[in-house]
Amino acid sequence: MKKACVIGWPVSHSRSPLIHNYWLKKYGLEGLYERREVEPEHLSEFLRNLGANGYVGCNVTIPHKEAALQVIQNIDDIVRRTGSLNTVWVENGQQQATSTDGEGFYRNLLACVPGFSIVGKSVIVLGAGGSAKAIIERLLRAGVGEIAVLNRSAGRVEELKAVFGPQIRTLTPDRFVSESKAASLLVNTTSQGMKGQPPLDIDLSALPPNAVVADLVYVPLETQLLKAAKARGLQVAGGLGMLLHQAVDGFEKWFGLRPEVTNELYDYIARDIVKDAQ
Ligand code: NDP
């Protein structure tokens, strides 16, 4: 029986087992997806022995997404550019890794707003952490015009500029409203608005009527940001959709079948999140 897992420290919060085991059952595949708590000092040993321990691959979550790079033999361009990985599989006896967060974000965006094109457009990204990097990398490959990044710590935006080049600009809070007039997409990649975190309080009034607002946060399912965007009549893309779409590539690599992100799966995971958000 093929087995995959998610490794993190802690890992109890991860919804990946629910998603992958749902697909295994739905498609009648013999397989299992487990949670494995791996302490940072045991990370390289665990990854080196992944196959020997009976796994065809794993997801890698906090705090191992960057450290795992040191151990995996073959990383792709996405990992090289973003400096982090979340999906590992074994091919011809060698470990391979990619990061599916950017792809999950992009596919969910297109699923939520069919026909949306980012080519040549201006985007505002709130936050400059790991997920911001993944999204910026994907938007650049999709042909985005420019990306203005607003972050609490200015130093991290400088890092993004160094990695991704002149299409990345710094946005300061005092210029947010005036610059949002030209934005086709606004993405929150900070943890603000998440249950237990400070709220995200920004003024969406100047965004164009056809702008899209995306939030990576999925607890709660509908954040204040998404509520405010909907109240203005804007189209939105939520964090749960991204979480589901980012899982597709890993499942296909491990279990050999490309799974579908359906409303039924969305509702199944949403029920679990609603329990958590109460
Ligand atoms: P990081 O820790 O790498 O980055 C966090 C970012 O949030 C930084 O830019 C940080 O700013 C900012 N931030 C945190 N707290 C505050 C605050 N109180 N005020 C202002 N800015 C703040 O995290 P990730 O990028 O990995 O994850 C960010 C969010 O995205 C999380 O909520 C995570 O759950 C979610 N996520 C969702 C995914 C999905 O599939 N839906 C996938 C991956 C992540 P600074 O640099 O100043 O510290």
Side-chain angles (χ1 to χ4, degrees):
M1 179 172 68
K2 284 185 177 174
K3 272 197 326 177
C5 62
V6 53
I7 62 170
W9 178 256
V11 78
S12 56
H13 64 279
S14 173
R15 290 192 167 80
S16 293
L18 279 183
I19 299 170
H20 291 284
N21 287 320
Y22 168 92
W23 278 329
L24 284 168
K25 191 167 167 212
K26 173 176 170 170
Y27 295 110
L29 299 174
E30 228 192 293
L32 185 63
Y33 186 101
E34 303 177 328
R35 266 190 193 96
R36 291 295 302 260
E37 206 139 84
V38 176
E39 291 175 53
E41 56 269 40
H42 295 139
L43 176 67
S44 53
E45 186 197 337
F46 185 90
L47 286 173
R48 266 197 288 272
N49 294 316
L50 197 62
N53 287 334
Y55 291 110
V56 290
C58 67
N59 280 128
V60 177
T61 188
I62 294 165
H64 303 319
K65 284 179 160 191
E66 288 91 22
L69 253 82
Q70 312 308 323
V71 190
I72 305 295
Q73 292 146 326
N74 298 301
I75 55 171
D76 68 3
D77 277 348
I78 301 174
V79 176
R80 229 165 267 127
R81 273 162 70 77
T82 59
S84 99
L85 59 85
N86 72 353
T87 304
V88 177
W89 67 102
V90 181
E91 212 172 277
N92 303 325
Q94 295 217 313
Q95 291 156 350
Q96 320 273 332
T98 189
S99 169
T100 62
D101 280 340
E103 193 60 29
F105 170 79
Y106 191 59
R107 288 213 198 109
N108 182 51
L109 179 64
L110 298 185
C112 292
V113 191
F116 181 74
S117 168
I118 203 66
V119 178
K121 303 276 175 60
S122 295
V123 173
I124 294 178
V125 170
L126 307 176
S131 58
K133 270 192 195 153
I135 285 164
I136 289 171
E137 193 277 338
R138 187 63 186 93
L139 291 177
L140 287 171
R141 269 194 289 131
V144 69
E146 59 151 30
I147 302 177
V149 183
L150 175 58
N151 193 50
R152 180 176 59 180
S153 321
R156 283 181 105 176
V157 186
E158 295 307 314
E159 252 179 66
L160 293 180
K161 287 184 190 169
V163 174
F164 295 113
Q167 281 164 284
I168 313 303
R169 287 194 297 113
T170 303
L171 178 59
T172 50
D174 55 309
R175 297 203 44 82
F176 174 80
V177 172
S178 62
E179 296 228 3
S180 62
K181 284 181 197 151
S184 297
L185 173 66
L186 169 73
V187 189
N188 175 39
T189 76
T190 76
S191 44
Q192 288 171 283
M194 186 160 94
K195 185 189 167 203
Q197 299 293 319
L200 175 63
D201 192 15
I202 52 162
D203 181 356
L204 302 181
S205 61
L207 281 170
N210 59 349
V212 177
V213 175
D215 202 337
L216 267 58
V217 171
Y218 54 88
V219 183
L221 280 175
E222 189 171 70
T223 58
Q224 284 305 325
L225 174 68
L226 296 187
K227 279 194 181 127
K230 279 186 176 173
R232 254 219 58 199
L234 304 176
Q235 300 196 78
V236 300
L240 176 55
M242 170 177 167
L243 183 74
L244 303 179
H245 280 279
Q246 67 76 33
V248 169
D249 288 340
F251 188 92
E252 185 180 25
K253 289 193 186 306
W254 306 321
F255 301 113
L257 183 150
R258 191 157 185 83
E260 224 189 321
V261 174
T262 57
N263 290 339
E264 189 189 77
L265 172 62
Y266 187 97
D267 292 343
Y268 174 61
I269 307 298
R271 281 197 291 278
D272 190 66
I273 290 171
V274 168
K275 263 195 287 164
D276 213 26
Q278 279 162 358

